[in-house]
């Protein structure tokens, strides 16, 4: 007993020393200003746990930023310095439970080997840290914003997590990168554990499945690997496409899902495309998914993208103008992850520079991201769209007419040309009847003012921007 206590104390001392080295490295690599504002407040929480490192920050906003930007690095550095560290938890100091678990899969090969020596495989108790699935507490059903593009997948995921006999299994989720498949899988796991705390839940990527299986074969110790996965009450495998062409891994995967399904347990699989589009995956594996439910997640529509931004902004408790949120929702259409990342970056830069977030700040901060996602809109297209919206002729916008019925739409068209194209001010002026660049500047400023005062003009600008970038 005394030897065990001494060993524990040594391990905790190693973690403390490692944290000192890691902090010094962060100070050098991040620079003084960033380190002082975001990383210096990190404190090591002493819990007595040997395989879990807990770091605390004074606010939820700081926790979210450090987790997104430094979570993986902290995990890798602790694991490199202290063998046996499985998980790094970054939490808010006042939180009762950890906010993030930065880990890919916390059930280790060593534990699997230990299990194989037992006469009969017995699932680890729920209180054992090595038995906890690597589920991110941020990814719950409550934080998943639902719209037309993901509603079916969301409802199917909730149904699978409900107590009692599952209505269907397996559930196959498919969609592009960053659309919410992994979020839903983590939400399923957490909801299922909430109603069945003692259940055995395993979440891993297909790549991790392959890695652990290969390691078990090399160690001639596949029994524990098979027993652990097949004893799961809920087994979730992400990114199935990674086992394409891996014959030995597919053989083991086939038998694993067969055992889980035959036992009436829950199975969730996700991939970046529908089952019939997974080339290199055996037909007998794909046919198993036909007995369950296949749900796709499409790229989010503009209304859903804006709703996602509103939901995340409420959590950050930071003011961002509506026109900036509209810009992000319109331009960043392919990935929820990219959308949320852009918002986090915008808020973080504003915090670091103590700047006010407005349209110019957003364009300067996110210029590369927005340009990469921007549809090529031309001034001619803008003039046609504005003319149609206000029931004018395109020639009216380039004419010398100064009547308000023409002048205001012309200003709106100039404003949109400045926001939606890369043309310079003189170039925009020339496209509007050879006007001076100062006229364009006046038009842009005037429309910015009116958007905050006149609801009809603001609505017209939003509608035109949405139509032009659709």
């Amino acid at each position: 007993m005394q030897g065990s206590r001494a060993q524990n104390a040594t391990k905790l001392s190693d973690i403390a020393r490692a944290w000192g080295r890691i902090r010094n490295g962060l100070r050098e690599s991040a620079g003084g200003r960033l380190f002082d504002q975001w990383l210096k407040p990190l404190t090591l929480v002493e819990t007595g746990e040997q395989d879990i490192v807990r770091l605390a920050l004074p606010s939820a906003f700081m926790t979210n930023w450090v987790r997104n930007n430094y979570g993986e690095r902290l995990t890798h550095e602790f694991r490199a310095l202290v063998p046996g560290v499985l998980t790094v938890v970054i939490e808010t100091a006042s939180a009762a439970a950890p906010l993030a678990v930065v880990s890919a899969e916390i059930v280790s090969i060593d534990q699997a080997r230990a299990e194989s020596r037992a006469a009969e495989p017995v699932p680890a108790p729920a209180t054992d840290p090595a038995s906890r699935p690597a589920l991110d507490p941020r990814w719950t059903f409550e934080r998943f914003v639902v719209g037309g593009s993901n509603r079916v997948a969301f409802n199917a995921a909730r149904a699978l997590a409900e107590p009692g006999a599952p209505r269907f299994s397996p559930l196959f989720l498919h969609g592009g990168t960053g659309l919410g498949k992994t979020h839903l899988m983590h939400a399923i796991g957490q909801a299922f554990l909430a109603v069945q705390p003692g259940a055995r839940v395993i979440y891993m990527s297909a790549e991790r499945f392959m890695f652990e299986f290969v390691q078990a074969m090399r160690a001639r110790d596949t029994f524990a690997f098979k027993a652990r996965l097949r004893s799961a009450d809920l087994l979730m495998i992400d990114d199935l496409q990674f086992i394409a062409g891996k014959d030995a891994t597919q053989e083991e995967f086939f038998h694993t899902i067969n055992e889980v399904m035959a036992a009436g347990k829950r199975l969730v699989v996700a991939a970046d495309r529908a089952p019939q589009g997974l080339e290199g995956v055996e037909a007998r594996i794909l046919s198993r998914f036909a007995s369950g439910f296949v749900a796709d997640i499409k790229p989010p529509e503009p209304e859903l993208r804006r709703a996602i931004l509103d939901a995340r902004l409420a959590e950050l408790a930071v003011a961002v103008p509506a026109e900036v949120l509209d810009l992000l929702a319109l331009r960043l259409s392919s990935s929820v992850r990219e959308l949320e990342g852009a918002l986090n970056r915008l808020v973080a830069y504003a915090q670091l520079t103590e700047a006010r977030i407005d349209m110019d700040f957003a364009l300067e901060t996110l210029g590369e991201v927005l340009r990469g996602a921007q549809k090529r809109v031309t001034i001619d297209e803008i003039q046609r769209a504005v003319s149609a919206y206000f029931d004018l002729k395109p020639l009216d916008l380039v004419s010398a007419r100064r009547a308000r019925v023409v002048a205001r739409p012309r200003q709106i068209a100039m404003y949109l040309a400045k926001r939606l194209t890369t043309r310079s001010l003189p170039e925009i002026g020339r496209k509007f009847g050879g006007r001076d660049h100062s006229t364009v500047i006046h038009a842009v400023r005037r429309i910015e003012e009116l958007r905050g005062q006149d609801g009809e003009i603001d609505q017209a600008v939003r509608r035109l921007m949405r139509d032009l970038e659709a």
Side-chain angles (χ1 to χ4, degrees), residues 184-264:
L184 283 180
M185 296 179 84
H186 283 237
I188 291 170
Q190 292 178 102
F192 186 64
L193 284 172
V195 295
Q196 298 191 47
R200 187 169 181 82
V201 174
I202 296 179
Y203 165 83
M204 61 168 58
S205 67
E207 190 174 24
R208 184 71 188 187
F209 179 97
M210 179 174 63
F211 171 76
E212 291 200 14
F213 177 59
V214 170
Q215 289 292 317
M217 285 197 300
R218 287 176 179 171
R220 298 181 180 180
D221 192 13
T222 59
F223 175 77
F225 173 81
K226 295 178 180 181
R228 177 165 62 88
L229 267 64
R230 298 177 191 186
S231 67
D233 299 298
L234 168 61
L235 176 62
M236 298 184 287
I237 305 294
D238 206 350
D239 294 322
L240 182 67
Q241 67 273 8
F242 284 114
I243 67 170
K246 309 295 191 302
D247 294 340
T249 300
Q250 290 191 44
E251 178 76 20
E252 178 57 31
F253 182 78
F254 173 75
H255 292 299
T256 296
I257 63 174
N258 261 359
E259 290 281 343
V260 172
M261 293 172 63

Side-chain angles (χ1 to χ4, degrees), residues 18-30:
W19 175 228
R21 291 178 58 183
I22 292 169
R23 275 177 64 88
N24 291 335
L26 291 173
R27 183 183 288 107
E28 293 178 5
S29 63

